[in-house]
Amino acid sequence: MKSPFVRGLIDGIPIALGYLSVSFGFGILAVRSGLTALCSVAISAVNLTSAGQAAGITIIAAGGTYIEMALTQLVINLRYGLMSLSLSQKLDSTFNTPRRLIVAYGITDEIFAVASAQKGLLTARYMYGLISISALGWCLGTFLGASAGSLLPSSLTNAMGIVLYAMFIAIVIPPAKKSRGVLAVAASAALCSMIFKYLLPWVTSGFAIILSAIAASVMGALVFPVADESHTEVESA
């Protein structure tokens, strides 16, 4: 019988392979923005967030402030706090505060999905295995991408640098096909971003990201509110 840690490693292999290809694009993007390969890997080692890292690199390249960086990361990564709260209901009794903090470091969309799908309570060793192999894939991909970005010609790295953005598009399109609300929010965010880019260029990239995300979210909440299921059930009864 496999130990929980080994099971976590095995379950995390598909995530690691996916991260390997996506973080390759981040490594290229980071080097093109003026960072060294070592700095790029360090960012990936302490921040397991593709969208947050991509936005952070944009702010760094533009010379943004710490306030912009902090607020941008808060808006983009707020969902991880909600995922952690949800996943905390599946943790076994051995999880003390230090273990919860360690696991919280590795909560991403993919890790959350795999962990939530497990039957029964989650052990610390299983989560350590799942997170460690996934983080390794992310950091290795970043190193390979950063190294390639330093050695390969710019014409090739420019083409390979779209991998990260292709992942974002792949994430948005499927739910946008099923929900008009998701489509409207995504389109609104894109429109707001274009307004800041071409009509309000004096707004820094960090605040443009924050304001675009907030504006699109508010629009989605007002125009496409989520129905209260419990209220609907009471009325139906």
Side-chain angles (χ1 to χ4, degrees):
M1 184 176 179
K2 299 182 180 68
S3 67
F5 182 79
V6 173
R7 287 195 299 106
L9 288 176
I10 294 174
D11 290 347
I13 290 177
I15 299 177
L17 293 176
Y19 282 175
L20 186 67
S21 59
V22 173
S23 60
F24 190 93
F26 169 74
I28 292 178
L29 177 65
V31 170
R32 286 171 53 193
S33 299
L35 300 181
T36 64
L38 179 60
C39 184
S40 304
V41 174
I43 291 175
S44 284
V46 298
N47 298 274
L48 296 180
T49 162
S50 55
Q53 288 182 222
I57 289 296
T58 302
I59 296 173
I60 291 173
T65 64
Y66 289 123
I67 296 296
E68 289 179 69
M69 181 67 78
L71 291 176
T72 300
Q73 297 304 316
L74 175 63
V75 171
I76 292 177
N77 298 318
L78 187 61
R79 68 188 189 281
Y80 294 136
L82 301 178
M83 291 180 188
S84 296
L85 289 174
S86 175
L87 201 60
S88 67
Q89 309 303 311
K90 287 181 62 68
L91 305 181
D92 68 10
S93 58
T94 64
F95 270 90
N96 51 26
T97 299
R99 289 183 174 181
R100 288 175 180 268
L101 292 175
I102 293 174
V103 170
Y105 152 79
I107 298 300
T108 64
D109 302 81
E110 296 78 13
I111 290 174
F112 171 77
V114 172
S116 298
Q118 301 303 308
K119 296 181 179 180
L121 297 178
L122 299 169
T123 65
R125 291 183 179 180
Y126 175 83
M127 292 301 299
Y128 293 161
L130 182 64
I131 292 171
S132 60
I133 189 66
S134 302
L136 177 61
W138 186 258
C139 292
L140 179 59
T142 300
F143 171 75
L144 295 176
S147 300
S150 303
L151 300 175
L152 297 177
S154 58
S155 59
L156 184 57
T157 57
N158 288 338
M160 299 174 68
I162 67 172
V163 173
L164 194 63
Y165 301 106
M167 184 202 70
F168 297 149
I169 294 174
I171 291 175
V172 172
I173 288 179
K177 289 182 177 180
K178 300 178 181 178
S179 171
R180 289 186 300 172
V182 174
L183 178 60
V185 169
S188 298
L191 178 61
C192 290
S193 181
M194 293 175 63
I195 291 174
F196 283 114
K197 175 69 175 179
Y198 298 106
L199 300 181
L200 303 172
W202 50 270
V203 179
T204 58
S205 58
F207 283 113
I209 293 173
I210 296 169
L211 295 174
S212 296
I214 294 175
S217 300
V218 171
M219 184 283 298
L222 294 176
V223 180
F224 299 96
V226 177
D228 188 341
E229 295 182 359
S230 59
H231 181 67
T232 302
E233 289 178 359
V234 171
E235 289 183 344
S236 300

